Amino acid sequence: ARAEHASLAIATISLLGVLGVAAVALLGSARPDANLALALLAGATLQEVGHVVAAGDALGPEAADRALLVKLSRVVLLAPALLLLGLATRADAGPGAGPRAAARVPLVPPFVLGFVALAVLVSVGAVPSGAAHALAATGGVATASAMAALGLGVDLRVVRTTGRPAAVLGAASFVALVAVMAGGLALAGA
């Protein structure tokens, strides 16, 4: 993607995430009995882990754990989705592109392999609990730093001149996702 398109996507996701966190916090304070359902909704709809953590924290410890579990489940599912995308991208390279073009596209990005490997190591107890807690704290600092860096990397001139269609599309997609998830939760009785 071109840099200005990435800036628009980041700005739109960040803005919608902040609005989503505020909405979850307000709904949670108005309806504390719905905090666990709101946690599921936050984990299923907010795009950035930091936004999910903030929304979950606003709802309480149990809700925070539930929101993060849902979000991390979505993150784990990125691995098979990226594998399929990698296979499709290799197929799209086509016969005219030659074997080098297809070979440059990784089937699974290295960060996904690292994430899955670390998750397995922690799950089987190969990482001592003290080290796991230190890694979690480091992850929190890294997440906050990454969110700040994303925000600082947004070119506001591009957002001002061409951002309206991206914002409208992003908002419409977010509202549709929230509606589908809220309907699913209502059907499930959550």
Side-chain angles (χ1 to χ4, degrees):
R2 295 196 330 235
E4 59 267 22
H5 293 163
S7 291
L8 287 172
I10 291 165
T12 302
I13 289 169
S14 295
L15 176 62
L16 292 171
V18 168
L19 294 173
V21 169
V24 166
L26 288 172
L27 288 170
S29 65
R31 294 267 328 263
D33 58 316
N35 279 358
L36 294 180
L38 287 170
L40 292 174
L41 189 64
T45 59
L46 297 175
Q47 296 301 318
E48 291 182 10
V49 173
H51 290 142
V52 173
V53 169
D57 283 348
L59 300 172
E62 186 181 352
D65 288 345
R66 184 172 290 189
L68 192 56
L69 177 64
V70 171
K71 177 60 180 173
L72 291 179
S73 297
R74 288 175 55 203
V75 171
V76 167
L77 291 174
L78 282 174
L82 289 172
L83 176 63
L84 293 174
L85 183 62
L87 289 170
T89 304
R90 281 188 173 192
D92 283 346
R100 285 187 167 189
R104 285 191 303 246
V105 178
L107 283 178
V108 179
F111 80 89
V112 173
L113 296 175
F115 176 82
V116 171
L118 188 57
V120 168
L121 289 173
V122 170
S123 295
V124 298
V127 177
S129 64
H133 289 297
L135 286 170
T138 302
V141 171
T143 299
S145 299
M147 290 180 69
L150 287 173
L152 293 172
V154 172
D155 186 346
L156 293 177
R157 292 174 303 198
V158 173
V159 172
R160 258 187 259 116
T161 58
T162 60
R164 182 170 287 160
V168 169
L169 178 61
S173 299
F174 182 66
V175 167
L177 180 59
V178 169
V180 167
M181 290 308 303
L185 288 171
L187 286 175

